[in-house]
């Protein structure tokens, strides 16, 4: 019997690539997104169905599990992938922007996970995979909101693994480095506040550099393969760094004094 994975944020980037790969591997795929009626390619894939899900809407979160279970009988893996980047000098951000960053990247993950835990406990098994980032373990300038949301997700996921192991529910997270997606396109929200001065040069240099590195980065298919490995390797491994340089930068973060590491990060980001 084919296994089933539910993927949030499947309309583009990592979510889309992961949906395609799992379908190719013979899995049943519940690909969720805010506007499935606009999706053309994914709906043609075998064993894949589209569902409406905005992770900030409680009514969507409450009904998605029974909808998918009705179509596929059971769900084996929840892949919490939906997210975006709110970027710019923190001083320019509004309370609403801060809240929305966390509503999508953190609270949406928590709320959907809360729906799935009783379901997986009843089944006697299950797996939860969250999309974090390498910047869930260090920071970069102008990404204070995005980094802090991923740091929160790292802490949540690590603690959850302790809690759910006793129920045979595996908890894992994917930590991508730079990946060539639309993260620096429609998924990037740059703060605009003309009343706040002093950051223009930094924003121009760093955001330009990030876009250039993003263009040279590997595609989301690299991350999709890592998600498939996490879902099928049978291990209790928690973290899966992926993408060019992910392992190296996290190793450097581990062994270098914070002041040294931060100097390297700022130098790299300011090129």
């Amino acid at each position: 019997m084919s296994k089933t994975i539910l993927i949030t944020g499947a309309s583009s980037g990592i979510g889309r690539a992961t949906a395609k790969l799992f379908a190719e591997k013979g899995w049943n795929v519940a690909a969720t997104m805010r506007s499935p009626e606009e999706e053309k390619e994914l709906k043609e894939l075998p064993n894949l169905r589209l569902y409406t899900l905005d992770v900030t809407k409680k009514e969507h979160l409450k009904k998605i599990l029974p909808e998918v279970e009705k179509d596929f009988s059971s769900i084996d893996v929840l892949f919490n992938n939906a997210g975006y980047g709110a970027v710019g000098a923190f001083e320019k951000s509004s309370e609403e922007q801060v809240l929305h960053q966390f509503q999508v990247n953190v609270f949406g993950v928590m709320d959907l996970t809360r729906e799935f835990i009783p379901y997986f406990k009843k089944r006697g098994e299950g797996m939860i995979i969250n999309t974090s980032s390498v910047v869930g373990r260090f920071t970069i300038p102008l990404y204070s909101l995005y980094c802090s949301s991923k740091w929160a997700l790292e802490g949540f996921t690590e603690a959850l693994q302790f809690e759910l192991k006793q129920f045979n529910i595996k908890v894992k997270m994917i930590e991508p480095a730079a990946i060539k997606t639309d993260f620096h396109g429609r998924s990037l929200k740059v703060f605009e506040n003309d009343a706040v001065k002093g950051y223009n040069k930094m924003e121009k240099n760093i955001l330009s550099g990030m876009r250039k590195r993003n263009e040279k980065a590997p595609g989301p298919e690299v991350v999709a393969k890592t998600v498939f490995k996490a879902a099928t390797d049978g291990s209790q491994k928690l973290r899966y760094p992926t993408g060019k340089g992910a392992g190296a930068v996290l190793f450097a973060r581990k062994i270098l004094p914070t002041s040294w590491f931060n100097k390297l990060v700022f130098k790299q980001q300011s090129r």
Side-chain angles (χ1 to χ4, degrees):
M1 183 177 178
S2 297
K3 290 190 173 183
T4 301
I5 182 171
L6 186 151
I7 302 171
T8 67
S11 63
S12 64
I14 292 170
R16 186 184 192 86
T18 302
K20 293 169 70 174
L21 178 62
F22 274 77
E24 291 168 4
K25 296 288 188 179
W27 281 56
N28 296 320
V29 178
T32 76
M33 57 194 70
R34 286 176 295 176
S35 303
E37 67 279 0
E38 298 177 5
E39 176 56 48
K40 306 300 180 185
E41 181 188 15
L42 291 182
K43 69 179 182 180
E44 301 299 328
L45 297 179
N47 307 320
L48 186 150
R49 297 190 182 185
L50 303 177
Y51 300 86
T52 301
L53 177 63
D54 182 333
V55 297
T56 67
K57 295 184 177 180
K58 296 293 178 68
E59 63 271 22
H60 287 189
L61 296 168
K62 289 288 184 182
K63 69 180 184 180
I64 189 63
L65 197 161
E67 283 184 357
V68 175
E69 187 182 21
K70 181 180 178 181
D71 290 337
F72 289 123
S73 299
S74 63
I75 305 170
D76 300 277
V77 178
L78 166 63
F79 181 32
N80 285 309
N81 170 72
Y84 78 100
V87 174
F90 175 74
E91 188 183 359
K92 289 186 175 183
S93 68
S94 67
E95 183 179 351
E96 290 76 18
Q97 288 169 322
V98 173
L99 181 59
H100 193 258
Q101 177 74 107
F102 276 77
Q103 282 178 329
V104 175
N105 289 10
V106 182
F107 305 143
V109 173
M110 290 180 171
D111 289 340
L112 187 55
T113 298
R114 188 184 293 110
E115 296 295 321
F116 268 80
I117 291 174
Y119 172 76
F120 284 150
K121 285 173 67 177
K122 185 176 181 180
R123 290 192 68 220
E125 63 179 350
M127 184 181 297
I128 299 164
I129 303 175
N130 296 332
T131 297
S132 181
S133 169
V134 290
V135 297
R137 289 203 265 167
F138 65 90
T139 61
I140 54 180
L142 303 183
Y143 285 70
S144 59
L145 292 193
Y146 182 73
C147 289
S148 59
S149 74
K150 292 303 183 181
W151 279 53
L153 190 61
E154 289 266 337
F156 169 67
T157 307
E158 185 170 322
L160 198 65
Q161 188 186 56
F162 287 121
E163 297 176 16
L164 300 185
K165 185 176 181 180
Q166 63 181 315
F167 303 115
N168 197 30
I169 302 172
K170 295 179 179 179
V171 181
K172 306 188 175 196
M173 58 184 147
I174 311 299
E175 298 174 320
I179 299 294
K180 189 176 181 179
T181 67
D182 68 349
F183 183 87
H184 285 89
R186 72 181 182 90
S187 294
L188 192 72
K189 308 299 181 185
V190 180
F191 307 140
E192 295 181 3
N193 187 338
D194 293 337
V196 177
K197 308 297 183 181
Y199 299 101
N200 289 350
K201 183 178 179 180
M202 173 184 278
E203 289 179 337
K204 181 180 178 180
N205 290 343
I206 291 178
L207 294 180
S208 175
M210 289 296 289
R211 291 188 177 97
K212 290 177 181 177
R213 281 187 286 276
N214 185 70
E215 285 300 313
K216 297 178 181 178
E221 295 77 16
V222 171
V223 184
K225 290 178 181 179
T226 305
V227 178
F228 188 79
K229 178 182 179 181
T232 59
D233 66 8
S235 76
Q236 294 287 343
K237 183 177 179 180
L238 174 63
R239 291 180 167 90
Y240 292 76
T242 182
K244 185 178 180 180
V249 71
L250 290 176
F251 180 71
R253 179 66 181 92
K254 182 177 180 180
I255 65 171
L256 292 177
T258 299
S259 60
W260 293 13
F261 182 83
N262 285 349
K263 287 180 181 178
L264 291 175
V265 168
F266 190 76
K267 182 178 180 181
Q268 176 70 19
Q269 298 301 318
S270 300
R271 287 181 177 178

